[in-house]
Amino acid sequence: MVDLASHPTVVSHRAETKASPPHTLDADLLRSLCLEAGADDVGFVEVDREYLAAHRADIVSVFPRTKSIISIVCRMNRENIRTPMRSIANIEFHHVVHKTDGVVREIVSRLEDVGVRAINAAAVGFPMEMDRFGAGKQWLVSHKPIAEAAGLGRMGIHRNVIHPKFGNFILLGTVLLDAEVSAYSRPLDFSPCLECKLCVSACPTGAIAPDGHFDFAACYTHNYREFSGGFTDWVDTIADSPSSRAYRDRVTPAETASMWQSLSFGANYKAAYCMAVCPAGEDVIGPYLADRKQYMEEIARPLNEKAETVYVVAGSDAEAYVPRRFPHKPIKRVRNGLSNIRSIFAFLRSLTLVFQRGRSAGLNATFHFTFVGRETAEVTVEIRNKTIKVTNGRHGAADFAMTADSDAWLSFVRKEVKLPWLLLRRRLRFRGSPRLLQAFGRCFPS
């Protein structure tokens, strides 16, 4: 058995005189370190900032010793994002994602050299913890609210963070560190968003509404077609096809080649037009102010006029929107992976994300859901005036009340079983009109 005290490594370590790691980092020196590592801007946030209360548990689960958070910005080349040529735009995304990951890793390395423990999360949330797929949140750290808290920008109505100087042509990185900082950043006291609504007019799926409503499912289905959700649908399509000819009847050669490209060189976005047309930011706003008509002709019009397939879920608001707004853009009905839910927690969390307010027109009702079995939960869902509210517990008088076995309900959500099967086996009981349940289902075609 090795005598630990006499082991050469232990002897050498104890013989060295090492300075204790600093408990508090000088903000100016830390800022210089981050900029030297390649960041274009940086801010610092204490982990117990009230603004981050909803995210603190996630942060601490990644790095329990977290005392402070570094948020960095890496700038993208604007014209590369603005082009309708998706290969150019995606190369820019990929390049800056890799750069951002490299910058935060370099920051962690330099902190480690002075004895400060730190950890960096993946830029823009990718890659994710895919063992959580269908069971809950897959990304570890939410970069956007951290960047807002660190004074690096505010989210516009398109849900991108807009930096006051660089606009929304940025990517974000985050470092969690086991040290305090001598001075912390404060959020911006204004929003760089101009509320010009160019992002509304450019979005090919109608995911961004003029009143600020955001249709997550519409954006996810099209823009992220070659990410995890669309990939699972593509695999299901292959598995369901009895022959190569049957597969080609459902998937064009260009779509197969595009999926191969994403698998080989990194997942590609189908559209980032909301980002492309955004004129906000000191470095960006000049051409928009100088000649708005020319700005529209050079930047917005080519994106709007581009003939391209737009992916939608059948029965969704996007399916109705695209032919009306962009009749020259053909739609293709697909599945988006948002129904591959494996937990009641994920199901309840998804309700506000996939809610289709257009499909909810005329529905004003309160639903009580009680889940029993492997997972238990009680929740109230109110759908009124094209809005949805989900709260834990049963509140108020229910127009429709349902009790269901949790696993059986998830199988129903995934379309593996039908409602009569659940009723016959008494895995589901309800009180109220079945039409209300049908109306509820129409609000969530994903």
Side-chain angles (χ1 to χ4, degrees):
M1 183 175 180
V2 175
D3 179 8
L4 185 63
S6 62
H7 191 280
T9 304
V10 176
V11 172
S12 175
H13 173 79
R14 289 176 173 170
E16 293 181 19
T17 301
K18 294 187 176 181
S20 300
H23 296 293
T24 301
L25 300 174
D26 181 87
D28 291 335
L29 293 177
L30 184 58
R31 177 177 177 82
S32 295
L33 181 153
C34 295
L35 296 177
E36 290 171 4
D40 289 304
D41 200 359
V42 61
F44 313 120
V45 189
E46 64 274 36
V47 72
D48 57 358
R49 178 84 63 88
E50 181 60 29
Y51 188 85
L52 298 179
H55 307 278
R56 190 174 301 118
D58 290 336
I59 293 168
V60 173
S61 70
V62 174
F63 189 48
R65 302 177 68 96
T66 302
K67 293 184 177 68
S68 302
I69 307 168
I70 302 173
S71 180
I72 71 147
V73 157
C74 286
R75 185 181 62 83
M76 291 191 289
N77 293 325
R78 296 190 292 274
E79 297 306 325
N80 285 347
I81 300 300
R82 287 169 171 166
T83 177
M85 306 303 173
R86 302 317 302 152
S87 62
I88 296 174
N90 278 291
I91 286 173
E92 183 67 16
F93 276 118
H94 293 162
H95 180 85
V96 182
V97 165
H98 294 319
K99 175 188 175 181
T100 306
D101 281 328
V103 169
V104 290
R105 184 185 181 279
E106 177 66 15
I107 292 170
V108 169
S109 296
R110 296 190 183 195
L111 291 172
E112 190 174 89
D113 288 342
V114 296
V116 176
R117 298 176 64 178
I119 191 170
N120 57 281
V124 299
F126 300 104
M128 294 184 176
E129 302 300 300
M130 297 313 293
D131 57 328
R132 303 179 185 178
F133 184 70
K137 180 181 171 186
Q138 297 154 50
W139 61 95
L140 297 177
V141 174
S142 297
H143 300 287
K144 293 179 181 181
I146 294 173
E148 285 189 312
L152 297 181
R154 296 272 294 276
M155 274 190 277
I157 64 172
H158 52 13
R159 302 313 192 268
N160 295 313
V161 171
I162 303 175
H163 187 273
K165 180 176 177 61
F166 308 132
N168 74 172
F169 297 93
I170 58 171
L171 290 181
L172 305 172
T174 303
V175 175
L176 313 177
L177 63 155
D178 179 21
E180 296 179 350
V181 182
S182 63
Y184 291 106
S185 311
R186 308 310 303 176
L188 294 181
D189 58 5
F190 73 100
S191 173
C193 180
L194 305 174
E195 297 187 7
C196 62
K197 308 297 174 65
L198 285 180
C199 57
V200 175
S201 66
C203 179
T205 66
I208 311 167
D211 63 359
H213 175 76
F214 183 67
D215 186 344
F216 172 86
C219 177
Y220 182 83
T221 301
H222 177 67
N223 191 33
Y224 293 82
R225 174 62 187 165
E226 292 172 12
F227 288 73
S228 60
F231 174 77
T232 58
D233 177 42
W234 179 65
V235 171
D236 288 343
T237 300
I238 295 173
D240 291 342
S241 300
S243 66
S244 59
R245 180 175 180 177
Y247 167 80
R248 290 194 298 271
D249 287 341
R250 300 173 65 181
V251 183
T252 68
E255 289 175 306
T256 300
S258 186
M259 188 65 74
W260 164 82
Q261 181 171 251
S262 282
L263 291 172
S264 300
F265 302 102
N268 289 319
Y269 298 96
K270 289 295 183 185
Y273 301 167
C274 57
M275 179 179 286
V277 299
C278 183
E282 294 172 10
D283 285 358
V284 186
I285 198 172
Y288 176 75
L289 294 179
D291 191 332
R292 296 187 188 184
K293 182 177 180 181
Q294 183 176 355
Y295 186 92
M296 294 288 292
E297 285 292 314
E298 290 185 355
I299 297 174
R301 185 175 179 180
L303 300 172
N304 289 341
E305 293 186 347
K306 181 180 179 180
E308 59 187 324
T309 299
V310 178
Y311 295 92
V312 301
V313 170
S316 66
D317 291 346
E319 183 184 31
Y321 175 85
V322 180
R324 183 173 68 250
R325 174 71 177 87
F326 299 108
H328 58 289
K329 296 181 187 281
I331 64 170
K332 184 166 186 176
R333 298 173 182 86
V334 296
R335 297 163 292 191
N336 58 17
L338 292 175
S339 62
N340 291 322
I341 292 173
R342 302 292 167 180
S343 75
I344 291 298
F345 168 79
F347 165 73
L348 295 175
R349 185 178 179 278
S350 73
L351 291 178
T352 55
L353 296 177
V354 302
F355 175 68
Q356 302 290 285
R357 65 174 183 172
R359 299 287 290 176
S360 75
L363 177 60
N364 293 281
T366 298
F367 299 82
H368 285 173
F369 293 101
T370 301
F371 297 103
V372 298
R374 184 175 59 86
E375 293 182 86
T376 60
E378 291 184 345
V379 67
T380 298
V381 180
E382 296 179 74
I383 299 177
R384 300 187 186 282
N385 302 319
K386 296 184 179 181
T387 65
I388 183 171
K389 180 181 179 181
V390 182
T391 54
N392 291 325
R394 289 180 289 188
H395 306 284
D399 299 291
F400 183 91
M402 183 195 80
T403 299
D405 175 81
S406 58
D407 287 334
W409 177 257
L410 293 174
S411 294
F412 173 67
V413 170
R414 296 192 297 265
K415 296 181 172 59
E416 297 169 353
V417 299
K418 296 186 180 298
L419 184 61
W421 184 92
L422 296 178
L423 294 171
L424 287 172
R425 287 161 178 77
R426 300 188 62 79
R427 307 293 291 278
L428 182 150
R429 303 186 306 276
F430 67 85
R431 174 175 51 81
S433 171
R435 292 182 179 179
L436 282 177
L437 183 59
Q438 292 175 337
F440 181 88
R442 285 195 295 270
C443 298
F444 310 95
S446 293

